[in-house]
Amino acid sequence: GRACGSPGMEGAAGSCWALLPAWWGLLRGLLLAVLAAGSCQGNSVERKIYIPLNKTAPCVRLLNATHQIGCQSSISGDTGVIHVVEKEEDLKWVLADGPHPPYMILLDGNLFNRGVMLQLKGTSRVSGLAVAVAKPNPPQGFSPGLKCPNDGFGVYSKDYGPQFAHCNKTVWNPVGSGLSYEDFDFPIFLLEDANETQVIKQCYQDHNVPRDGSGPEYPLCAMQLFSHMHAVTSTVTCMRRSSLQSTFSINPEVVCDPLLDYNVWSTLQPINSSGKVDPEKEVIIVATRIDSHSFFWNIAPGAESAVSSFVTHLAAAEALHKASDVHLLQRNIMFTFFQGETFDYIGSSRMVYDMEKDKFPLRLDNIHSFVELNQVALRNDSILWMHTDPVSRMNESVEAQVSNLLGILSNSSVGANVTLQEAGFSQPLPPSSFQRFLRARHIPGVVLTDHRTAFQNRYYQSMYDTPENIQMQYPEGLSPEETLEYVTDTAKSLAEVATVVARALYRLAGGANNTSAIQADPKTVTRMLYGFLIKMNNSWFQSIIKPDIKGILGDVPQHYVAVSSPVNTTYLVQYVLANLTGTVVNFTKEECLNPEKTPDSEKEMYEYAWVQGSLDPNSTSRVPYCVRSTVHLSKALSPAFELRQWGSTEYSTWTESRWKEIRARIFLVASKELEIITLVVGIAILVFSLLATYFINAKADILFSTPRDPGAVAY
């Protein structure tokens, strides 16, 4: 039990010192274990300090040729003491009385309006905002979009129908607050999970509630939001910076990206997608938009603004393809689904541009007429309104064709539970893709909507444009599979609209047979509504997509155009359309994936897809198959970016800023005095430690010298 070098151990000194490497190895192992434990303990300490908020959606920065809109935090995130605001009187504490600014506000969804937001925007006492979803939806309506959507990018201007420009005749979205188009210099997050909202409220109740009119005592519950944006000022500025980086830097740091995706299109009769349609061949275009938007990033349910119309469009395409004599029709029909229409008609303006530049199989001259499905789910007394352009109808030839189109549509609704009425000759077109085609050429066309003047949709471009907004209701207790197959009243209603549209298109294309057999399937419509509005990851969608993209099937569908493409909506519209209008062919997987090597595949006319198929009833494996269709994708990127005209007033210039991280968390914060004391004590301990280390090191030869062995004799 005695140490090396102690009296009585002289003879064993050599063996004793020989043990030092072993002891040193053990010590090093213990040191590493302590460090590892410290690291784990560090993570554990962080988890004990912070509660992360995982189900949130940020407001991000978007830019166009002249402005930046949206929100951002400082580069290190913004922090503030939480204050719950459930009525307007609660704002007084935040804006004037509260002694602990800046504040992070937990705002009730019913107060998330322009008036309140502009009050908060004008003060330095607010560092950020977390918005709780209002349940039920705000009864007065809520639309953060513009009163005149896509103003300046449609057909009406000082040179064309100036009396209709800037919504002078009709304000289409009267409840629009324009909130999405404001610029906020603090972060704003949506709380998607009611449980997380309750955790924040409980933390507030425990620590932050004012007592007897005076401020609460520390520690206080605080929130930190991270959403710093890299792009500033405008698309012109951010694209120029990104371009310079890409030109001169080995590792370019791009600060913004154009909003882009793909349009989906197919034809009733196959055409050569890489060639050009004969100039004499007439084509009827049927169109809808497939994107939506809200104040918060990637929160875009778009039930009425987008889904109701493109689901109806898909159902009409299926009904038409089932007609026996479609291959004999004298006019072809093109089913078109535009992306990015919310942002100044990205998809339609690009298709028109491609047609003008001979980069698309069709030319504008091939277009016989244009039928667009807009918002169609909220009809009063089953009336569907037919909108036309009064300016182009002043031309006698166009007027005759438009009158013929309106007559065919009206006649197709006879006997159906849908009544079609003309909105009025003096009424301009609502915001629609058709306007971009009219800018290029006088084309006979009609836009079908559920509103004569202002939108019926009180939640246009908002997070509340949900299945409930279009009265989708299911009985309680249904399994996901039963819900998928349950035919709702909304599905029946939209199927009736699809039937009328399909029959009218058949007549318009030159069909002469009885149209009673052309019937949209409510079962298909209800499946699509469930998949596009409630749950993308369902058995039907799983069976109709390619195995390599099954990862796109998230739970809650969103229809924001985004900057990475194709987005989930585009993929699913593509494969649903192929499933409803295509043909199952007897090809092997290799033949399906490489049709150019397969004789009689007519690769120029058709697209082939090897899809997963349904689950085999007797096993867990799927039965895949090959689908042949005329479904194609075409680029939906604004021509402004092709032409590098980032300040264009002709084309959409919307970009989305890049960011490093998006996250939110809550924690308890100490008083400034305690933080300063802690800092000073920490610095004092550090200085003392440095001084002690210096003196110990300076006197090490004295403090740690080895005593000489008195028994040793020098010779």
Side-chain angles (χ1 to χ4, degrees), residues 113-131:
N113 57 54
R114 186 177 182 84
V116 169
M117 292 304 295
L118 292 184
Q119 285 185 67
L120 302 180
K121 186 179 179 180
T123 177
S124 60
R125 290 175 59 88
V126 174
S127 59
L129 202 65
V131 180

Side-chain angles (χ1 to χ4, degrees), residues 448-460:
L448 302 178
T449 72
D450 56 20
H451 55 89
R452 182 175 187 174
T453 52
F455 296 162
Q456 297 273 25
N457 185 6
R458 293 175 298 127
Y459 305 108
Y460 183 74

Side-chain angles (χ1 to χ4, degrees), residues 161-172:
Q163 68 273 31
F164 304 125
H166 313 299
C167 297
N168 286 336
K169 179 78 175 178
T170 305
V171 177
W172 296 106

Side-chain angles (χ1 to χ4, degrees), residues 15-28:
S15 59
C16 188
W17 291 114
L19 290 172
L20 278 178
W23 282 105
W24 170 242
L26 180 61
L27 183 63
R28 185 171 58 181

Side-chain angles (χ1 to χ4, degrees), residues 257-528:
D257 301 282
L259 295 182
L260 64 97
D261 204 79
Y262 288 89
N263 298 323
V264 183
W265 63 276
S266 78
T267 51
L268 192 61
Q269 300 162 354
I271 62 172
N272 187 341
S273 60
S274 57
K276 290 285 177 289
V277 172
D278 192 306
E280 284 76 44
K281 184 67 175 176
E282 292 182 322
V283 179
I284 301 157
I285 290 185
V286 197
T288 47
R289 66 176 59 191
I290 58 174
D291 68 298
S292 187
H293 180 45
S294 81
F295 186 87
F296 298 99
W297 183 75
N298 207 28
I299 301 294
E304 160 74 339
S305 61
V307 178
S308 68
S309 57
F310 76 69
V311 161
T312 305
H313 186 171
L314 287 163
E318 180 192 31
L320 260 176
H321 270 269
K322 287 180 178 177
S324 58
D325 60 336
V326 289
H327 60 288
L328 301 174
L329 297 177
Q330 66 186 77
R331 298 186 186 97
N332 205 348
I333 298 173
M334 179 170 140
F335 305 100
T336 315
F337 301 82
F338 291 121
Q339 261 288 14
E341 295 301 273
T342 303
F343 295 95
D344 300 335
Y345 307 119
I346 293 173
S348 55
S349 63
R350 179 53 186 260
M351 185 170 282
V352 171
Y353 174 82
D354 286 345
M355 286 180 175
E356 290 177 323
K357 302 296 181 185
D358 274 349
K359 296 180 179 179
F360 196 78
L362 265 67
R363 300 177 181 86
L364 289 169
D365 290 342
N366 291 116
I367 301 174
H368 170 268
S369 51
F370 199 104
V371 177
E372 180 169 352
L373 285 160
N374 213 306
Q375 303 178 77
V376 294
L378 298 176
R379 302 192 306 283
N380 281 336
D381 301 321
S382 298
I383 296 173
L384 205 58
W385 295 97
M386 300 183 290
H387 299 263
T388 57
D389 172 41
V391 180
S392 60
R393 287 183 71 177
M394 292 178 186
N395 178 297
E396 286 186 15
S397 171
V398 173
E399 166 61 22
Q401 290 174 285
V402 171
S403 296
N404 178 55
L405 175 56
L406 296 176
I408 289 173
L409 278 163
S410 297
N411 291 336
S412 299
S413 67
V414 174
N417 193 24
V418 180
T419 305
L420 275 89
Q421 292 187 19
E422 191 175 351
F425 189 83
S426 60
Q427 177 83 4
L429 286 168
S432 51
S433 308
F434 179 40
Q435 292 201 31
R436 290 301 303 193
F437 284 79
L438 276 176
R439 280 176 73 131
R441 189 171 179 271
H442 280 180
I443 297 169
V446 62
V447 178
L448 302 178
T449 72
D450 56 20
H451 55 89
R452 182 175 187 174
T453 52
F455 296 162
Q456 297 273 25
N457 185 6
R458 293 175 298 127
Y459 305 108
Y460 183 74
Q461 287 186 9
S462 93
M463 56 189 169
Y464 300 114
D465 191 6
T466 56
E468 292 76 23
N469 187 33
I470 58 172
Q471 284 90 49
M472 276 178 65
Q473 295 175 332
Y474 296 93
E476 290 185 9
L478 295 183
S479 67
E481 201 62 30
E482 289 169 338
T483 311
L484 171 68
E485 301 294 341
Y486 180 81
V487 180
T488 61
D489 290 340
T490 304
K492 293 173 186 173
S493 172
L494 292 178
E496 288 166 352
V497 175
T499 297
V500 170
V501 171
R503 290 174 179 177
L505 291 171
Y506 175 80
R507 285 274 180 253
L508 204 57
N513 291 344
N514 192 308
T515 57
S516 59
I518 298 176
Q519 190 79 39
D521 185 359
K523 196 177 183 70
T524 301
V525 175
T526 209
R527 282 176 162 190
M528 289 191 285

